Amino acid sequence: DQQVKQNSPSLSVQEGRISILNCDYTNSMFDYFLWYKKYPAEGPTFLISISSIKDKNEDGRFTVFLNKSAKHLSLHIVPSQPGDSAVYFCADSNAGGTSYGKLTFGQGTILTVHP
Amino acid sequence: KAGVTQTPRYLIKTRGQQVTLSCSPISGHRSVSWYQQTPGQGLQFLFEYFSETQRNKGNFPGRFSGRQFSNSRSEMNVSTLELGDSALYLCASSAGGSGANVLTFGAGSRLTVL
């Protein structure tokens, strides 16, 4: 079974600087990784995904990097804004198999961006 | 376009009772998934329904069940509630096809079991 680990419970960054959120995984069999952001009292919101056949995907201020040899991915937010303060989850989607609707989530990292 | 709607948003039950939570997916989405979020276990997958059929199930006891109606609306039920069932229950919908399995989540139903 896939395990997805976010080893940093929290991260504090100054506004305008780069935020780097990290995620490690155990099983090389996956189709996509996704990043979600969650504010209190709201459901998670999809940010960006990366396919297993790529090593980078960009969308505006958000870039995800995938290092398959290290089984590691990271989300870069540049520049960070106070409104980015939230809990960030990485999630594995083995959509190619029978994992319909199933995402395996990491424990989350609380990002705080200070003005 | 309306998002995923979950009702009720908050509820309090006592041990041994049962609870039913409701989810209306985004219009046109045929897949509905349910997740449990707790501080200790994080976000865990409960089950997924597509066209009124359960296609996938997580590792939860049989007290947790669900169903989907012909209009894609879904309900989940927890019977014989235990204190450990206190959690945020999240519903998510998607088109249900192949691809990145991008789910759109509702705001959740916060269940407290006393």
Side-chain angles (χ1 to χ4, degrees):
Chain A
D1 254 9
Q2 179 73 280
Q3 285 191 36
V4 178
K5 295 182 180 179
Q6 294 176 257
N7 293 316
S8 298
S10 63
L11 174 67
S12 183
V13 171
Q14 205 68 29
E15 180 180 6
R17 306 293 291 268
I18 184 171
S19 295
I20 300 177
L21 299 131
N22 295 302
C23 183
D24 296 306
Y25 60 95
T26 57
N27 191 333
S28 299
M29 298 296 294
F30 72 94
D31 290 336
Y32 291 88
F33 270 102
L34 298 86
W35 284 93
Y36 279 81
K37 175 172 74 173
K38 186 179 186 300
Y39 294 117
E42 295 183 14
T45 303
F46 171 71
L47 274 174
I48 190 170
S49 65
I50 187 164
S51 162
S52 60
I53 62 173
K54 297 197 172 183
D55 53 20
K56 179 182 174 181
N57 189 27
E58 269 183 277
D59 185 1
R61 296 186 298 115
F62 302 91
T63 303
V64 58
F65 296 92
L66 176 61
N67 183 333
K68 287 187 280 291
S69 61
K71 296 184 182 177
H72 177 86
L73 68 157
S74 60
L75 174 68
H76 293 211
I77 306 174
V78 184
S80 301
Q81 300 172 354
D84 295 330
S85 297
V87 182
Y88 288 77
F89 295 93
C90 64
D92 160 56
S93 171
N94 189 8
T98 56
S99 299
Y100 304 110
K102 179 180 179 181
L103 297 176
T104 301
F105 284 90
Q107 291 295 96
T109 297
I110 301 171
L111 172 66
T112 304
V113 181
H114 298 284
Chain B
K1 197 174 185 181
V4 178
T5 304
Q6 292 188 244
T7 56
R9 290 293 311 277
Y10 303 92
L11 67 166
I12 300 173
K13 294 284 187 179
T14 57
R15 278 180 299 174
Q17 287 187 312
Q18 66 93 27
V19 66
T20 299
L21 308 176
S22 180
C23 173
S24 293
I26 289 173
S27 178
H29 282 187
R30 296 168 65 188
S31 169
V32 173
S33 304
W34 289 89
Y35 286 78
Q36 181 195 64
Q37 186 182 20
T38 59
Q41 298 295 319
L43 276 153
Q44 293 192 294
F45 172 74
L46 280 156
F47 29 65
E48 186 260 5
Y49 287 86
F50 181 86
S51 293
E52 302 178 67
T53 301
Q54 186 183 87
R55 289 196 301 187
N56 203 1
K57 188 177 187 303
N59 296 322
F60 279 82
R63 300 186 297 108
F64 292 81
S65 63
R67 59 178 176 168
Q68 187 180 35
F69 303 95
S70 59
N71 61 358
S72 293
R73 192 177 70 84
S74 177
E75 289 180 348
M76 69 162 282
N77 183 276
V78 188
S79 62
T80 319
L81 284 166
E82 301 176 359
L83 295 179
D85 297 332
S86 294
L88 179 67
Y89 290 88
L90 292 159
C91 167
S93 75
S94 72
S98 61
N101 221 4
V102 175
L103 307 182
T104 302
F105 284 86
S109 294
R110 170 78 60 186
L111 170 65
T112 301
V113 182
L114 302 176

